[in-house]
Amino acid sequence: MTALAIAIIIAAYLLGSVSSAVLVCRAFSLPDPRDQGSKNPGATNVYRLGGRFAAVLVLLCDMLKGTIPVWLSYLIGINPFLLG
């Protein structure tokens, strides 16, 4: 495993650990989703707290957290076995 692959893995892990639901709720001045509603920081709870737009934003951010590292790794040319 190359140093670049290890760096991408670490960056993907750190990017995945960011809670987009909490960030969106803070940006829209909504209550913290970990304290309100179902207490689950996910798109459904954000939908209950802030409506459709905030929930779609959380869902898109969550999808991009997984997609961006894979696309970047593919474009850089990391071995497909390591991508898995």
Side-chain angles (χ1 to χ4, degrees), residues 21 25 30-51 54-55 58:
C25 284
L30 298 172
D32 192 336
R34 298 170 295 184
D35 296 333
Q36 300 289 322
S38 66
K39 296 181 177 31
N40 181 10
T44 303
N45 197 25
V46 172
Y47 177 71
R48 291 182 195 123
L49 297 174
V58 169

Side-chain angles (χ1 to χ4, degrees), residues 2-62:
T2 66
L4 184 59
I6 292 172
I8 291 289
I9 290 170
I10 292 170
Y13 177 80
L14 292 175
L15 184 63
S17 68
V18 174
S19 176
S20 58
V22 174
L23 292 177
V24 168
C25 284
R26 285 185 183 175
F28 288 102
S29 300
L30 298 172
D32 192 336
R34 298 170 295 184
D35 296 333
Q36 300 289 322
S38 66
K39 296 181 177 31
N40 181 10
T44 303
N45 197 25
V46 172
Y47 177 71
R48 291 182 195 123
L49 297 174
R52 183 179 294 156
F53 182 72
V56 168
L57 206 59
V58 169
L59 185 63
L60 287 175
C61 289
D62 283 344

